[in-house]
């Protein structure tokens, strides 16, 4: 089954910003065709973990494998060529460029097929097609997030890494973004995501990791973690 294929494997990763490590000995796996979530309290190191995987900070220890290949310590621009697309929460589009220009830029590592890929992505994101000639700065927050997702997908990544893609958006847009993420997952991409709304995130995640104080705390199927007392008490809250 295609969703058995491990796209990303992180083993014992330790990283930080020059001082004491922020994440320590973290391990996780993300499979193609699955949504893998990282949840945990503020400051747990979720964004730091994503940055270490995407090559924005260099791990002090541990290994990162993409499709079985050791990519540990490679800088971000080389990781893109190895199949890692990372969408940061902010500054994820070029505001002065048009939608189409942003997508062209997103495809810079492609040898060919930029135009065809843009047309494919316009099918997935019809709003972007309508807005193709508008500057990104004139888009709504939700549309801008869609553009950031599409830009990441220009390289046909094995792994799409998303740090709070619906941060700051209205509930309506949050729902729409989950719809798109589910569609992206269905194209056999491994989606690795951090999101604020833990309950909603666990509903969508085939597998989720709870990160606390920079370390692996728990892992399991999203639906199972929604039933876990510790997870519910600390990170989800009960529906009353
Ligand atoms: N650029 C940086 N330089 C130094 N320390 C940083 C930097 N970015 C984050 N930190 C520290 O790393 C720790 C973990 O932060 P991180 O942003 O990874 O947490 P997070 O789990 O993503 O939190 P949140 O849920 O609030 O987004 C925090 O103590 C934070 O202050
Ligand atoms: Mg964060």
């Amino acid at each position: 089954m295609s969703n058995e294929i491990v796209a990303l494997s992180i083993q014992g990763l330790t990283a930080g910003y020059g001082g004491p490590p922020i994440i320590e000995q973290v391990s996780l796996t993300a499979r193609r065709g699955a949504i893998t979530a990282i949840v945990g309290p503020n400051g747990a190191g979720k964004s730091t973990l994503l940055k270490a995987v995407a090559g924005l900070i260099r791990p002090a220890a541990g290994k990162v494998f993409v499709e079985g290949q050791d990519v540990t310590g490679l800088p971000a621009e080389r990781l893109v060529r190895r199949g890692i697309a990372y969408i940061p929460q902010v500054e994820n589009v070029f505001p002065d460029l048009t939608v189409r220009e942003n997508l062209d830029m997103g495809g810079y590592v492609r040898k060919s097929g930029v135009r065809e890929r843009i047309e494919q992505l316009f099918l997935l994101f019809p709003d972007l097609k309508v807005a193709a000639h508008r500057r990104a700065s004139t888009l709504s927050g939700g549309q801008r997030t869609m553009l950031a997702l599409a830009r990441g997908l220009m390289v046909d990544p094995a792994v799409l890494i998303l740090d709070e893609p619906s941060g700051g958006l209205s509930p309506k847009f949050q729902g729409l973004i989950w719809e798109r993420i589910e569609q992206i997952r269905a194209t056999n991409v491994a989606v690795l995501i951090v999101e604020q709304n833990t309950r909603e995130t666990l509903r969508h995640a085939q597998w989720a990791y709870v990160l606390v104080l920079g370390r692996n705390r728990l892992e399991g199927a999203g639906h199972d973690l929604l039933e876990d007392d510790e997870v519910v008490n600390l990170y989800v809250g009960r529906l009353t």
Side-chain angles (χ1 to χ4, degrees):
M1 237 170 76
S2 62
N3 67 6
E4 296 297 312
I5 297 174
V6 172
L8 174 72
S9 168
I10 301 169
Q11 298 172 7
L13 205 66
T14 297
Y17 302 94
I22 302 291
I23 56 161
E24 268 190 283
Q25 295 287 325
V26 173
S27 298
L28 71 77
T29 297
R31 292 169 196 277
R32 279 193 178 262
I35 294 172
T36 303
I38 303 164
V39 301
N42 294 121
K46 303 180 297 294
S47 295
T48 302
L49 172 58
L50 298 186
K51 283 186 256 178
V53 175
L56 277 86
I57 57 174
R58 214 184 138 83
K63 292 278 180 200
V64 179
F65 296 90
V66 175
E67 313 235 84
Q69 303 249 13
D70 188 347
V71 299
T72 313
L74 292 184
E77 66 272 16
R78 290 192 52 200
L79 286 171
V80 173
R81 292 168 204 271
R82 299 298 197 95
I84 299 248
Y86 164 72
I87 317 291
Q89 191 189 334
V90 292
E91 293 177 15
N92 50 23
V93 298
F94 297 103
D96 294 335
L97 300 184
T98 67
V99 166
R100 183 176 279 278
E101 287 164 348
N102 266 279
L103 295 174
D104 278 335
M105 295 283 285
Y108 74 104
V109 304
R110 293 186 74 99
K111 291 186 187 69
S112 64
V114 169
R115 182 180 288 265
E116 292 78 0
R117 183 64 176 159
I118 290 177
E119 290 309 319
Q120 281 175 354
L121 290 170
F122 279 165
L123 296 175
L124 189 59
F125 300 97
D127 281 8
L128 294 182
K129 182 172 182 152
V130 176
H133 300 293
R134 278 174 57 189
R135 281 180 184 224
S137 59
T138 69
L139 301 176
S140 70
Q143 290 170 325
R144 215 179 295 191
T145 302
M146 299 297 178
L147 177 58
L149 294 178
R151 209 165 74 82
L153 290 170
M154 278 301 295
V155 296
D156 278 313
V159 186
L160 181 67
I161 299 179
L162 306 173
D163 196 350
E164 300 195 16
S166 70
L169 298 182
S170 68
K172 181 192 138 203
F173 267 119
Q174 292 179 16
L176 207 57
I177 285 167
W178 273 118
E179 259 178 50
R180 291 293 173 272
I181 291 170
E182 288 285 2
Q183 286 175 300
I184 293 165
R185 176 193 70 71
T187 64
N188 211 28
V189 172
V191 177
L192 180 63
I193 185 169
V194 171
E195 260 298 8
Q196 280 289 343
N197 184 335
T198 303
R199 181 187 303 278
E200 190 65 16
T201 305
L202 292 178
R203 278 198 188 122
H204 288 274
Q206 276 69 44
W207 202 258
Y209 294 84
V210 180
L211 198 69
V212 179
L213 294 172
R215 290 178 175 268
N216 286 103
R217 173 72 168 238
L218 278 172
E219 65 179 276
H223 283 105
D224 292 341
L225 290 183
L226 272 173
E227 311 273 302
D228 182 281
D229 279 340
E230 180 189 337
V231 172
V232 170
N233 287 332
L234 293 179
Y235 317 118
V236 178
R238 290 186 193 282
L239 289 175
T240 50

